Amino acid sequence: MEKIKRFFALLLIIVLLAMFISTLIFAIIDDPATMSLLKASIAATIIIPVFLWVIKMFAGINKRHSLRSSSPDPDDYTGSEETDGDNSDPEKSK
């Protein structure tokens, strides 16, 4: 799994560098035909990393949620700390 993550991280770095370089090249070339390519390149340079960040964020939330649902909730534990060893209702003892 670690090799797959490294491969995709390297692939993402290459794609981002290619987008930055293409944006620079389209900005330098003064041709009306490259203006639409420049706009598309700038949009892709902004949208693709944000989209990938959102995917990563939701994957992390999903991972934490699945871990939380598979393990018992520590807040649901009613041990001797709360009741001092007896099973009586704390409201009745007042």
Side-chain angles (χ1 to χ4, degrees):
M1 187 68 172
E2 191 68 29
K3 288 184 181 182
I4 294 172
K5 286 183 181 179
R6 286 184 187 209
F7 171 74
F8 281 117
L10 182 63
L11 184 66
L12 180 62
I13 289 170
I14 292 170
V15 168
L16 287 173
L17 285 175
M19 286 190 309
F20 294 146
I21 292 170
S22 67
T23 302
L24 180 66
I25 290 172
F26 293 144
I28 292 173
I29 298 173
D30 189 26
D31 186 19
T34 60
M35 190 55 68
S36 61
L37 293 174
L38 175 64
K39 289 177 185 178
S41 181
I42 291 172
T45 303
I46 295 169
I47 292 171
I48 290 175
V50 170
F51 181 70
L52 292 174
W53 175 77
V54 168
I55 289 173
K56 184 177 184 219
M57 182 181 66
F58 280 122
I61 290 172
N62 189 23
K63 183 178 179 182
R64 281 182 289 190
H65 179 69
S66 66
L67 289 175
R68 223 182 262 165
S69 64
S70 66
S71 64
D73 191 8
D75 294 335
D76 291 340
Y77 178 72
T78 55
S80 61
E81 302 88 38
E82 293 180 9
T83 60
D84 294 330
D86 62 354
N87 290 331
S88 64
D89 190 11
E91 291 295 320
K92 291 180 182 178
S93 62
K94 288 183 180 180

